Amino acid sequence: MKLKIEEKPYLPNGRHIVQITEVEEGRSENKDVPFINCRLENEEGFINQRFYLSEPGQPILASFLKAAGIEKTAMDSRELKGKTLSVEVEERTYEDSEGKEKTIKQATHFETVGQVNTSDRF
């Protein structure tokens, strides 16, 4: 059997410099909350990260936008495409709406490219 793989693997856990290559808009399946989904990738692989446009999601989105070099309070989500930032990839386990345990990979701890985290030095 011949296998043809045209997709990159998921990024391994750890810190990565990534570029935003795709931005999609949607609504959550359970609570109909609007979100944007960003594909973050580099030569090693990719990760998709969803940002909910709800009040609890605002600080997370603000941190992501700041790391991507965007200081505006209002913008078109398409402006994110092509921006570069540093993210930490990790796994998180949670209970879904049906009570089933799920584990996902997520991007967190967003930083501007070139920014040094002094807590990592020691």
Side-chain angles (χ1 to χ4, degrees):
M1 172 188 312
K2 291 184 178 184
L3 299 176
K4 186 175 181 181
I5 309 297
E6 296 184 10
E7 182 60 276
K8 293 179 178 184
Y10 289 118
L11 286 169
N13 291 354
R15 183 146 298 276
H16 301 276
I17 294 175
V18 295
Q19 184 176 51
I20 303 166
T21 58
E22 294 176 25
V23 179
E24 297 175 333
E25 298 176 0
R27 298 189 83 78
S28 66
E29 299 82 10
N30 295 317
K31 297 185 180 179
D32 200 37
V33 176
F35 67 81
I36 58 169
N37 185 71
C38 296
R39 180 179 168 111
L40 312 172
E41 69 179 290
N42 61 23
E43 301 78 31
E44 291 180 59
F46 78 100
I47 186 166
N48 286 310
Q49 182 61 46
R50 195 179 270 194
F51 296 94
Y52 290 97
L53 307 180
S54 62
E55 188 175 331
Q58 291 294 303
I60 299 164
L61 181 58
S63 173
F64 176 76
L65 294 175
K66 183 177 180 182
I70 296 172
E71 301 285 337
K72 302 176 189 177
T73 56
M75 61 174 287
D76 186 315
S77 62
R78 292 177 290 193
E79 293 178 56
L80 289 168
K81 195 171 177 181
K83 301 289 185 189
T84 301
L85 68 153
S86 175
V87 301
E88 192 169 317
V89 175
E90 62 186 28
E91 290 183 357
R92 177 174 70 91
T93 301
Y94 70 98
E95 196 173 287
D96 71 9
S97 61
E98 297 172 359
K100 295 179 184 174
E101 190 175 277
K102 290 192 173 187
T103 300
I104 61 168
K105 275 192 170 268
Q106 66 180 13
T108 61
H109 303 103
F110 312 112
E111 294 182 358
T112 303
V113 173
Q115 181 177 330
V116 177
N117 185 342
T118 54
S119 65
D120 290 344
R121 290 184 180 178
F122 303 102

